[in-house]
Amino acid sequence: MSTFAPPLDPARALEVAQRAVRDCPADAVEVTVLGRAGEYTRFAGDRIHQPQDITELTVSVKAIVNGHAARAATTSLDRVAETARAAADLARGRAAAAGAPGHATVGTPGPLPELSLWHEDTAAFDAGARVALAGRAMRGGAEVGGVAAGMIGRALTQIAVATSSGTAVHAEATEASGSLTVSVDGGTAHWVDLHRSSDALRAGDAIDAAVRRALAGRGRMPMPDGEFTVVLGPQAAGELLGFLPDVGFSGELAAAGVGVCTDPGARRASELITVGDDALAPVGLPIPFDFEGTPKQRVPFLQTGVVGRPVTDLATAAALGETVNGGRSTGHAHIAREEVPSPVAANIVMPAGPTPEADLIAGVERGVYVERFWYTRLVDRQASTITGVSRDACFLIEDGELAAPVDTGRFTQSVLGFLGSVDGVGDQVRSQPVMNVWNGSVSAPALRGSGFRFGNRPLPDGQDS
Amino acid sequence: MTAHDWGSLADDAAATVLIDSALSVADGAAEFADVRLIEGEELRLYSQLGADPDERREHTMGIGVRVLVDGTWGFAARPVQDARDAETAARQALATARASIGTSAPVHLAPMAAASGRYETEVAIDPFAVDASVRQALLDEVLANATRPAEVVAAQAGVNAKRQHRHVGNSEGSRQHQHFLETGAGLLANAVGHGDVQRRSYPNSFHGNTAAAGWEYIATLDLANQAIRVGEEAVALLTAPMAPAGNADVVIGAQQVSLQIHESSGHALELDRILGDEANYAGTSFLSVEDIGSRRYGSDAVTITSDPTIPGTRGSFAFDDEGTPARRTRLIDRGILAATLSNRDAAGRSGQQLTGAARSDGWAYLPVCFATHVYLEPGQGSLDELLERMGDGYYIDDNRSWSIDNRRWNFQFGTEVAYEVRAGKRGRLLKNFSYGGITPEFWGSVEAVAGPEELRIFGYPCGKGEPKQWGFLSHAAAPMLVRNLRIGVA
């Protein structure tokens, strides 16, 4: 019965936004409509335990009075006018309390990039198709004496922005995603991918491959402590690249003088590392503009290893001034729950390199292959150090081939330190979602580098553990 | 007083009409159905050094319908624009269930008698009625105090409030109406200098702290004065000696203990996770159903309890999000695993007791097992007495980084501050303290927990599920003494 339509017809979404702009008694107004119709088939073992069909819609109004901004939002269309007035009241109160002009602004219209956002194959990726894939995974796991758990989904994401300065833009984008963990006798494997096109996932093949890798991962030995040459699969590599905004490629940090962007032009990674935020790329989750209606720009973080610039929104672009992107927002405004609004890199992309993953492995005499990291957290922003554990389908590499599977291993590692050691880049890019980021994705190829340390910090000489 | 006379769903009777209309669609088509109709409003004000403050008010109202058709789940959710949305959601839920029939093994829910009732958070001062200028003046003072030292180059402070009408009904006859209100605040200061970046936070390093209370809770925090200390300590950390590596006795402060409970106890005890439902996303658990009742999880000093009936906490309620009445459950009893946090599906599947821990972020999400108010039972004595008992070691508090493996087995935490302790007295401030361990070994090394006078309560947001949702819960803890802990691991 699902029609796979956006929560609001595009014309209606723009009409709602533009009417709210008119209904808001403020100096300047920005209205953002976010909609999402998501369908998710979630399964574990022999059960589809969470088949879901979720429609969400939010109308958010930013009102500015004497340069002071406030926001109000609602999910109820019949409350939009009231919400616009509430935003104006809040902003007026803020302006009165401040006593001096603030700095808030709304964006101005600009040309939008042409992107391929709608895919008919995803529109046809209905519950029946997703259930069939879930069944394939569950049966595949069971047939080898294991268990599969995962989620196959599709969504339609909608964004419309209207401002009192004349912006009136709308986009709707299909999204297909899949993830899977297969466990067989202690061996595990994981697959995750997302794309605007469901066909691009090649989910059936990915499911079968995950079952095979889980089988190969049986009989895991403990991860040995020490420094290793590692080959990070696309998901593990992507997880590392996802920390780049946290170590300085964000306008908020740059404006505070913290992190790697305080040293633009410096070499901080291998020449093989070119990565940035690229909402215009054909991978991940491209989208033409941000919550403020600002057209998205490609933002280079590391260009052949050299430090580029941070992502910004209107506020941080103004704070950074002309020296960073000419004082213009790069189109990365973001608002997350329980967090301070800040510019967010939502489509981090590292292009593929020339080397098949198998050849990356073949070039390692002794090392470790890591498919997936788990529970990674920033430890030291200045040093770009993170901690976490390896998980799923990790293997020792011996004489250029995958050898014994290894269990979870804890690591503490400088992200930039590792990127500085990279001497090989895989030829396949895979995407994964980013938590707590609207339309957020990281896409990466496999990476080979050295000096990756598993185990705890070495004890001082003479001390036992 | 209560402070819930707002919004479209303040009226329990009107909400029941919508619930009944959704249930009527499922009647005869599903063997079980439940409906959650929720209206929520959040108010947030954040101030950041060098940026305009951000104030926002967010309203949401929607309905989520869950059905069982031929033993197969279906769920649909949508915003409520008018009465037809309830029926539309129910029809979509039936369709999602039917699509899975034949592929999914049948669900058996734990039996539960119909339960109806009403619950409201008691508050003294409605935070939504507090004038915006009062909120801003407080944050202005907090930010000014925290940034007195020039080295504090980044700081943020915020206050928040959330109110919700949660109405739940099911095909078994339960009709429940809960009206919640929460208030919270937080402060974070980052100092830069001497080639280092260091941070301090208050009152909880994880998104501030939140209580089921009104604006009166903010007054108890003494934010303005604490901000002076927070800023100064962030700066002091820049030049503090590095914390050592090795093995040591450690007294862990209440905030860090609360996160330890959350990561290595709360999550590990979720029954849906134990059964494998979260294997792909949030992870599994080192515990199994067979462990319940016998497995040693910690020392005799460790008793962990789930009790959502304690008012004032972020994990308090009268009914969980699938309608199970709140109850007190001892999860770890003097070191022995006694029970898990469960929902009806997981309890029915495994034969375990139903403890009422099915919780969801809102109408758009399915209830899953989240902690309630899960706390470490206090022991005896003051923090100073605990330090004296330790003798030589370290006192640490306020989480800085956290990581634990997918089985909730191998963990590593860093704290914002650490102090040397010699002969029971606090000495030098140290930076970059970290410790690691294995969950049951760690809890097995707990020698003592401080008394009720040291107990503090922390509200948390928590992530789980696909699509990911926030769970809102709480943990209380007093400082505890752990022997022979591996430190300096990161």
Side-chain angles (χ1 to χ4, degrees):
Chain A
M1 79 171 275
S2 172
T3 57
F4 198 54
L8 281 181
D9 173 80
R12 173 92 168 111
L14 272 175
E15 178 196 334
V16 166
Q18 290 175 310
R19 179 174 295 171
V21 169
R22 291 195 299 272
D23 287 344
C24 185
D27 300 341
V29 186
E30 166 197 293
V31 178
T32 306
V33 178
L34 296 178
R36 186 170 171 89
E39 301 170 19
Y40 312 94
T41 303
R42 193 174 191 219
F43 57 93
D46 58 358
R47 305 164 73 245
I48 295 175
H49 61 108
Q50 292 181 0
Q52 303 161 80
D53 183 339
I54 302 170
T55 299
E56 297 175 274
L57 177 71
T58 303
V59 181
S60 176
V61 180
K62 181 170 85 172
I64 298 174
V65 174
N66 199 25
H68 293 277
R71 290 185 177 86
T74 185
T75 58
S76 300
L77 290 175
D78 62 355
R79 294 172 69 120
V80 173
E82 174 190 331
T83 299
R85 289 193 295 276
D89 288 346
L90 284 173
R92 200 169 298 110
R94 297 212 35 71
H103 307 93
T105 58
V106 298
T108 51
L112 295 181
E114 290 286 331
L115 299 172
S116 176
L117 300 176
W118 179 273
H119 291 262
E120 286 298 333
D121 54 340
T122 306
F125 195 46
D126 61 9
R130 298 193 308 275
V131 166
L133 285 170
R136 181 172 176 168
M138 291 190 289
R139 284 192 307 276
E143 283 167 4
V144 296
V147 176
M151 193 270 286
I152 311 287
R154 72 167 180 181
L156 211 168
T157 295
Q158 174 178 40
I159 178 170
V161 180
T163 70
S164 53
S165 61
T167 299
V169 290
H170 179 272
E172 58 183 308
T174 58
E175 175 185 328
S177 61
S179 61
L180 172 69
T181 301
V182 184
S183 307
V184 187
D185 289 339
T188 67
H190 184 70
W191 163 72
V192 63
D193 203 355
L194 57 81
H195 200 278
R196 294 287 180 217
S197 159
S198 60
D199 287 350
L201 300 181
R202 292 190 284 276
D205 293 344
I207 288 167
D208 297 345
V211 172
R212 289 194 299 272
R213 285 201 309 281
L215 272 172
R218 289 173 297 173
R220 292 191 293 187
M221 58 177 284
M223 173 75 81
D225 287 357
E227 287 194 355
F228 295 92
T229 295
V230 293
V231 174
L232 305 183
Q235 186 177 353
E239 181 119 0
L240 245 57
L241 298 181
F243 278 93
L244 290 176
D246 294 321
V247 303
F249 292 104
S250 133
E252 188 186 9
L253 292 171
V258 174
V260 67
C261 278
T262 57
D263 198 12
R267 172 162 300 284
R268 295 298 302 272
S270 153
E271 289 184 355
L272 299 179
I273 301 296
T274 290
V275 59
D277 187 89
D278 189 359
L280 316 182
V283 296
L285 297 176
I287 201 84
F289 54 88
D290 70 359
F291 288 0
E292 294 175 327
T294 306
K296 291 273 188 182
Q297 290 182 16
R298 290 189 176 94
V299 180
F301 291 162
L302 293 163
Q303 186 77 35
T304 59
V306 174
V307 173
R309 53 193 166 93
V311 295
T312 58
D313 54 11
L314 289 171
T316 55
L320 285 164
E322 293 288 324
T323 55
V324 178
N325 202 38
R328 299 185 307 279
S329 166
T330 59
H332 290 85
H334 193 265
I335 304 171
R337 228 170 129 190
E338 304 264 325
E339 291 178 16
V340 176
S342 59
V344 165
N347 207 48
I348 296 172
V349 177
M350 178 169 175
T355 313
E357 188 177 273
D359 289 352
L360 293 178
I361 294 166
V364 179
E365 185 177 341
R366 181 174 178 273
V368 176
Y369 176 83
V370 180
E371 180 182 73
R372 179 191 190 188
F373 290 127
W374 170 260
Y375 225 119
T376 50
R377 289 288 183 273
L378 189 67
V379 170
D380 186 332
R381 198 185 304 278
Q382 205 76 342
S384 75
T385 304
I386 64 170
T387 186
V389 293
S390 57
R391 183 188 169 184
D392 303 323
C394 294
F395 296 85
L396 296 179
I397 303 172
E398 290 176 359
D399 299 326
E401 293 187 346
L402 296 184
V406 285
D407 208 344
T408 293
R410 178 160 293 287
F411 70 91
T412 302
Q413 176 69 42
S414 161
V415 173
L416 291 172
F418 175 74
L419 295 180
S421 75
V422 167
D423 66 356
V425 177
D427 64 350
Q428 302 288 323
V429 168
R430 220 168 67 217
S431 305
Q432 58 188 300
V434 178
M435 275 201 302
N436 305 331
V437 175
W438 183 83
N439 199 55
S441 168
V442 176
S443 305
L447 298 175
R448 183 178 63 203
S450 56
F452 197 100
R453 182 167 61 82
F454 282 100
N456 293 320
R457 186 168 76 178
L459 290 173
D461 290 345
Q463 290 191 31
D464 296 323
S465 61
Chain B
M1 65 171 284
T2 57
H4 305 122
D5 184 20
W6 65 278
S8 304
L9 297 179
D11 180 355
D12 296 350
T16 301
V17 171
L18 271 175
I19 288 173
D20 286 348
S21 71
L23 289 173
S24 69
V25 172
D27 189 23
E31 59 256 32
F32 172 82
D34 64 7
V35 179
R36 283 174 307 112
L37 177 64
I38 298 173
E39 181 175 26
E41 191 162 41
E42 298 190 27
L43 177 64
R44 296 185 178 279
L45 174 61
Y46 293 113
S47 279
Q48 285 192 85
L49 184 64
D52 286 330
D54 180 81
E55 183 153 25
R56 48 179 143 144
R57 196 163 180 152
E58 297 167 344
H59 167 264
T60 175
M61 183 165 68
I63 192 164
V65 181
R66 186 173 66 157
V67 297
L68 263 181
V69 180
D70 289 349
T72 305
W73 281 122
F75 175 75
R78 57 192 299 112
V80 173
Q81 310 295 350
D82 57 48
R84 287 170 299 181
D85 285 305
E87 296 176 10
T88 302
R91 282 192 294 273
Q92 288 176 319
L94 290 170
T96 60
R98 287 170 185 144
S100 301
I101 291 172
T103 306
S104 181
V107 170
H108 301 288
L109 292 180
M112 190 179 77
S116 298
R118 192 170 196 282
Y119 176 85
E120 290 190 51
T121 309
E122 292 284 333
V123 301
I125 304 169
D126 178 2
F128 287 85
V130 171
D131 193 86
S133 63
V134 173
R135 290 193 292 272
Q136 187 57 54
L138 172 65
L139 294 191
D140 286 349
E141 184 180 8
V142 167
L143 216 53
N145 287 352
T147 58
R148 283 181 185 177
E151 295 93 333
V152 179
V153 299
Q156 59 180 249
V159 292
N160 60 79
K162 180 168 80 175
R163 54 189 179 187
Q164 277 194 337
H165 303 300
R166 283 189 173 236
H167 305 277
V168 171
N170 67 23
S171 57
E172 296 168 334
S174 294
R175 296 291 183 276
Q176 299 156 0
H177 308 279
Q178 300 190 91
H179 304 269
F180 297 108
L181 199 150
E182 296 177 353
T183 306
L187 160 67
L188 190 65
N190 283 283
V192 176
H194 305 277
D196 200 4
V197 180
Q198 290 287 334
R199 82 166 206 204
R200 283 295 280 136
S201 62
Y202 176 82
N204 185 356
S205 63
F206 204 81
H207 296 272
N209 207 3
T210 302
W215 186 257
E216 68 277 5
Y217 171 69
I218 301 294
T220 68
L221 296 175
D222 191 25
L223 279 171
N225 286 319
Q226 293 290 340
I228 299 171
R229 173 184 63 81
V230 164
E232 291 173 347
E233 288 182 355
V235 174
L237 283 166
L238 293 173
T239 53
M242 191 76 80
N247 285 65
D249 299 336
V250 178
V251 169
I252 305 178
Q255 195 280 326
Q256 176 59 31
V257 175
S258 73
L259 191 71
Q260 185 85 46
I261 293 168
H262 181 80
E263 300 293 356
S264 69
S265 301
H267 278 306
L269 295 169
E270 294 160 358
L271 186 57
D272 61 351
R273 177 193 292 267
I274 290 169
L275 296 176
D277 287 357
E278 290 286 338
N280 181 57
Y281 185 72
T284 61
S285 174
F286 68 93
L287 300 169
S288 68
V289 168
E290 290 71 33
D291 291 331
I292 299 169
S294 60
R295 176 160 185 153
R296 179 154 286 282
Y297 182 92
S299 72
D300 288 348
V302 176
T303 291
I304 294 175
T305 300
S306 164
D307 192 354
T309 70
I310 296 175
T313 76
R314 211 178 192 189
S316 58
F317 49 80
F319 305 95
D320 77 0
D321 282 320
E322 55 183 5
T324 304
R327 69 189 65 172
R328 174 186 167 90
T329 306
R330 185 149 289 178
L331 302 173
I332 307 294
D333 190 356
R334 287 167 295 175
I336 303 297
L337 174 63
T340 62
L341 295 156
S342 72
N343 59 0
R344 288 188 71 182
D345 184 335
R349 201 178 344 153
S350 63
Q352 292 304 307
Q353 66 170 302
L354 180 60
T355 53
R359 310 193 67 202
S360 72
D361 191 349
W363 51 266
Y365 299 92
L366 275 165
V368 296
C369 292
F370 274 115
T372 61
H373 177 56
V374 171
Y375 62 97
L376 176 66
E377 300 270 6
Q380 289 184 331
S382 67
L383 171 60
D384 286 344
E385 288 170 326
L386 205 60
L387 295 176
E388 194 171 324
R389 177 174 180 155
M390 178 174 66
D392 292 348
Y394 301 91
Y395 170 69
I396 63 173
D397 206 4
D398 294 327
N399 186 262
R400 183 171 185 249
S401 71
W402 70 107
S403 177
I404 189 165
D405 73 15
N406 61 299
R407 298 172 64 221
R408 303 281 152 177
W409 176 256
N410 176 324
F411 64 81
Q412 177 173 297
F413 295 119
T415 60
E416 290 181 356
V417 289
Y419 294 91
E420 275 184 342
V421 176
R422 294 288 176 264
K425 303 297 180 196
R426 225 190 278 197
R428 292 189 305 166
L429 177 70
L430 305 172
K431 68 179 175 186
N432 297 1
F433 189 96
S434 63
Y435 69 96
I438 302 299
T439 294
E441 292 174 7
F442 170 84
W443 287 107
S445 300
V446 174
E447 180 177 294
V449 181
E453 66 272 31
E454 301 286 357
L455 194 77
R456 290 171 59 199
I457 301 171
F458 301 90
Y460 282 91
C462 169
K464 194 177 175 185
E466 282 180 289
K468 184 214 167 191
Q469 59 176 307
W470 292 97
F472 296 94
L473 44 91
S474 51
H475 301 294
M480 63 185 192
L481 167 57
V482 184
R483 294 292 186 187
N484 196 33
L485 187 61
R486 175 79 191 255
I487 68 171
V489 293

